[in-house]
Amino acid sequence: MQDNSQKEVTQLSLFYNHRCFEDILLLVADESATPNKIEEYDNVIVLKEDERIVGINIINSLDFVKLRANGLVHSLNKALATCLEVIIKDYSGYIVNIVENTYILGKIIDVKGDSYLVEIGENLPVLAKSFIDDVELGDYVEIVYKETRIPTGHKAYHYLKGSADYLITATKLDKDKCGTILYQAKVR
């Protein structure tokens, strides 16, 4: 293993689709970058734009982990993240951080034009934007922080304009059945 010291730890999101990629895990740091350099290590391929890591592929991933996922992996347990970070470091020498893409359940408490005040905890309202037309006062909605990666591969800030830090990604949710965790946000 070579020493691949870097100034910053690269933040990566995990994508997986067994039908399309079989046993390749895709880790994305910057979906808008065009890789112009590839570094190949036994089971790890590092994609770079100049000297900046923009993605990593782990091949033969079924030798290491088994996943059931289709697309962006939203909820990532710490053991899986640590396992993948160690694989990348052991094979390539790069230190990375695989991040969870946290979706938060909140309740619309005020509407101001195309902006919404969303309650995500006791006395913890946040400003959110939406491109969904039927958002109404009192609705339970799913929101993501602007730095969260969404299923398109983009980070939410690509869709936000103005002063909102959160993007509404789903509406009309039943808070008891939707699967998104209510009021367990880490405020940034």
Side-chain angles (χ1 to χ4, degrees):
M1 175 186 73
Q2 70 184 55
D3 176 27
N4 282 320
S5 300
Q6 66 234 49
K7 294 175 188 163
E8 291 182 22
V9 174
T10 303
Q11 305 283 314
L12 296 159
S13 295
L14 175 62
F15 288 81
Y16 181 69
N17 183 324
H18 181 72
R19 287 188 196 156
C20 294
F21 305 116
E22 295 183 6
D23 69 344
I24 301 173
L25 296 177
L26 307 175
L27 296 124
V28 178
D30 184 350
E31 76 289 339
S32 63
T34 303
N36 56 16
K37 183 177 179 184
I38 297 173
E39 295 178 7
E40 293 185 44
Y41 306 92
D42 289 328
N43 287 307
V44 173
I45 298 170
V46 178
L47 308 170
K48 290 182 159 186
E49 184 178 65
D50 301 321
E51 293 305 311
R52 185 173 61 95
I53 296 173
V54 297
I56 294 177
N57 296 338
I58 298 176
I59 59 174
N60 302 315
S61 65
L62 294 175
D63 292 347
F64 306 107
V65 296
K66 306 240 184 303
L67 292 178
R68 285 189 175 186
N70 185 16
L72 175 65
V73 178
H74 298 286
S75 297
L76 187 67
N77 71 45
K78 188 65 179 158
L80 175 59
T82 300
C83 176
L84 297 175
E85 291 165 1
V86 167
I87 290 167
I88 292 166
K89 184 173 189 300
D90 285 353
Y91 280 96
S92 70
Y94 287 108
I95 298 170
V96 298
N97 183 17
I98 300 172
V99 296
E100 184 170 34
N101 294 287
T102 304
Y103 285 62
I104 304 162
L105 183 64
K107 184 176 181 180
I108 302 290
I109 59 171
D110 196 10
V111 179
K112 296 179 182 189
D114 65 347
S115 297
Y116 302 88
L117 203 55
V118 181
E119 177 69 41
I120 62 169
E122 195 172 314
N123 298 317
L124 189 63
V126 297
L127 188 63
K129 297 279 188 174
S130 178
F131 293 102
I132 302 170
D133 291 333
D134 61 346
V135 180
E136 297 176 5
L137 190 64
D139 282 353
Y140 281 93
V141 296
E142 181 181 72
I143 65 172
V144 295
Y145 182 65
K146 65 184 174 186
E147 291 295 328
T148 301
R149 197 167 301 280
I150 59 177
T152 62
H154 293 95
K155 288 193 176 181
Y157 66 73
H158 285 282
Y159 301 98
L160 292 169
K161 294 178 174 39
S163 60
D165 283 337
Y166 290 84
L167 177 68
I168 296 173
T169 57
T171 63
K172 312 278 187 232
L173 299 177
D174 180 334
K175 70 179 178 73
D176 298 319
K177 297 180 183 176
C178 73
T180 303
I181 298 171
L182 177 63
Y183 300 156
Q184 290 192 359
K186 292 179 183 168
V187 178
R188 290 154 170 84

